[in-house]
Amino acid sequence: MTEIKSLTIEELRAALADMGEKPFRAGQIFGWLHRGVESFDEMTNLSKDLRQRLAERFVLTVPTVARKQVSRVDGTIKYLWRLRDGDCVESVLMHYEHGVSVCVSTQVGCRMGCKFCASGLGGLKRHLSAGEILDEILFMQKDSGETVSNIVLMGTGEPLDNYDNVLKFLHLVSCPEGINIGQRHISLSTSGIADKIEALAGEKLQITLSVSLHAPDDETRSSIMPVNQAYPVERLMRACRYYFDTTGRRISYEYMMARDKTDRPWQAEQLAKLLRGRPAHVNLIPLNEVAESPLSPSKPETVRRFQQALEKRGITATVRRKLGPDIDAACGQLRRRELRENTAL
Ligand code: SAH
Ligand code: SF4
């Protein structure tokens, strides 16, 4: 059966026409769905008969809260959702001065195998559907009572490895008839699947692309990110150039600071050289320690020096503020713990 929340409003209109219904019903139903209703019976402006026929024809996904942690320091909320087949994914809700930002997952697990990442440790279990990604946002809004204004696709999973569903999600979430979050308020983070970056450029979206670079040289990057063997730094940078040339949108580069691995002075220099002449922004992320990984975080003064070295060479760089320091910080850690404690999952 089709998941109703994975349908665009146009697809929903067509499905309703097939059922002999008026097209305006699609707007009503879409509106209910984006408010996070948990059954068709909640759609009180539809006839009982129509609600019943919808229930017979479509699946309505309703994730449940498997775990929830609220930071006492800054109110950040981390959710672990249980999906209809029992799989779990996590999302985070953060409060910023300019609104509420959420970080959502795009896959159950991840097959990219980055050495520092808790999400990739168990490999890929499955892709999330467009509706399931949307659900993370709908049900965070419902549970917290907050209105989400910004979205980052930086939870578990490689968004460009689930390209079609992620693209559909981007259309759903920015649809005026639904929760209508503008694409300029959405960031997509990728480990660097170069040909998919080029494909994405062709979609002409207004989103911000974030590239997890983490090292400017192939030797280091390949040793922590297997994707670099398929798409080495030069190939990746070519795709990034193409993305900017096609969309005119500045790219954000994520750079993880790992002690004696990615934080050496020559790497700052090489990174600056790589980005010279490109509209770019570098986000320095202090590494979150993951029990299974031998990497450790850089010292704060090393991060500062690295940032200064970039700025001196004309590259804008900021250090990411850590939210929710008292709850499992790095993406993937909550699901990891759940898997460890409950191996039946
Ligand atoms: N798969 C995508 C998006 C999800 S990961 C990607 O890799 O870009 C989101 C970000 O968290 C990426 O920049 C990733 O490299 C980073 N990350 C993963 N594990 C981390 C850790 N232990 N410490 C710091 N950053 C981490
Ligand atoms: Fe996957 Fe991103 Fe984690 Fe790498 S960092 S394993 S791409 S989720």
Side-chain angles (χ1 to χ4, degrees):
M1 274 213 290
T2 310
E3 281 182 17
I4 193 163
K5 262 179 279 184
S6 290
L7 299 182
T8 62
I9 189 141
E10 294 80 16
E11 289 170 336
L12 192 55
R13 256 184 223 123
L16 284 160
D18 266 1
M19 293 168 71
E21 293 292 330
K22 297 249 160 46
F24 79 90
R25 294 276 176 220
Q28 289 178 327
I29 296 169
F30 203 76
W32 283 114
L33 293 173
H34 283 228
R35 260 172 271 154
V37 291
E38 296 179 26
S39 84
F40 289 105
D41 275 333
E42 288 180 44
M43 302 183 175
T44 46
N45 54 359
L46 306 183
S47 70
K48 262 213 160 107
D49 171 65
L50 178 55
R51 286 185 245 158
Q52 172 121 26
R53 285 193 297 134
L54 289 170
E56 281 161 11
R57 195 177 274 237
F58 296 108
V59 173
L60 183 64
T61 49
V62 181
T64 55
V65 178
R67 275 178 197 241
K68 177 176 164 183
Q69 291 177 302
V70 184
S71 165
R72 277 188 294 269
V73 180
D74 55 25
T76 296
I77 313 176
K78 186 146 188 166
Y79 290 96
L80 184 74
W81 301 107
R82 193 177 305 282
L83 309 177
R84 70 187 173 115
D85 57 3
D87 282 335
C88 287
V89 291
E90 57 190 82
S91 338
V92 185
L93 182 145
M94 298 154 283
H95 300 90
Y96 287 99
E97 276 149 40
H98 53 268
V100 170
S101 207
V102 293
C103 172
V104 299
S105 297
T106 53
Q107 294 179 312
V108 182
C110 181
R111 64 173 141 202
M112 306 309 290
C114 303
K115 296 286 190 293
F116 44 82
C117 177
S119 298
L121 288 168
L124 175 71
K125 178 104 191 279
R126 69 173 177 89
H127 294 316
L128 292 184
S129 66
E132 284 175 320
I133 306 172
L134 180 67
D135 275 341
E136 295 178 57
I137 298 164
L138 301 181
F139 287 89
M140 268 193 280
Q141 290 201 144
K142 195 170 177 188
D143 182 84
S144 67
E146 308 266 13
T147 303
V148 170
S149 48
N150 292 281
I151 302 169
V152 296
L153 301 183
M154 277 200 189
T156 297
E158 166 49 55
L160 298 186
D161 185 41
N162 184 14
Y163 190 89
D164 294 341
N165 292 343
V166 165
L167 200 70
K168 198 159 195 201
F169 158 77
L170 293 172
H171 287 300
L172 286 173
V173 82
S174 56
C175 177
E177 284 91 344
I179 53 172
N180 194 15
I181 297 176
Q183 290 184 356
R184 285 176 185 271
H185 300 277
I186 305 176
S187 298
L188 182 154
S189 176
T190 177
S191 58
I193 305 180
D195 53 1
K196 296 286 172 58
I197 291 176
E198 288 162 355
L200 192 67
E203 315 281 355
K204 301 266 168 56
L205 302 172
Q206 299 286 308
I207 61 168
T208 300
L209 181 67
S210 237
V211 173
S212 301
L213 192 54
H214 302 332
D217 58 293
D218 282 324
E219 193 190 336
T220 310
R221 196 164 191 271
S222 290
S223 74
I224 52 176
M225 300 179 74
V227 65
N228 197 67
Q229 283 147 28
Y231 304 101
V233 175
E234 206 188 297
R235 171 74 186 92
L236 173 58
M237 296 314 284
R238 185 150 39 89
C240 292
R241 164 83 65 194
Y242 177 79
Y243 188 88
F244 176 77
D245 288 344
T246 313
T247 63
R249 310 274 307 155
R250 182 178 80 161
I251 294 177
S252 188
Y253 294 89
E254 306 293 308
Y255 194 97
M256 189 186 59
M257 299 295 293
R259 190 184 303 181
D260 299 330
K261 187 75 180 170
T262 68
D263 66 355
R264 293 164 283 187
W266 64 266
Q267 286 168 316
E269 216 168 288
Q270 200 163 328
L271 177 61
K273 219 179 268 167
L274 207 59
L275 299 179
R276 201 163 42 209
R278 293 168 183 259
H281 177 96
V282 176
N283 214 346
L284 299 173
I285 321 169
L287 172 112
N288 271 311
E289 261 181 302
V290 173
E292 292 86 345
S293 157
L295 298 173
S296 52
S298 306
K299 296 198 189 100
E301 60 265 31
T302 314
V303 178
R304 260 197 313 277
R305 268 202 299 276
F306 201 93
Q307 181 187 18
Q308 283 159 2
L310 291 174
E311 297 268 351
K312 210 172 74 193
R313 290 170 178 83
I315 309 291
T316 342
T318 47
V319 180
R320 185 185 289 170
R321 189 159 60 99
K322 200 167 163 183
L323 289 170
D326 54 333
I327 56 180
D328 290 305
C331 288
Q333 292 186 354
L334 202 60
R335 174 169 174 264
R336 189 83 199 138
R337 167 137 47 96
E338 181 79 11
L339 287 174
R340 219 181 286 128
E341 287 172 9
N342 190 353
T343 40
L345 275 179

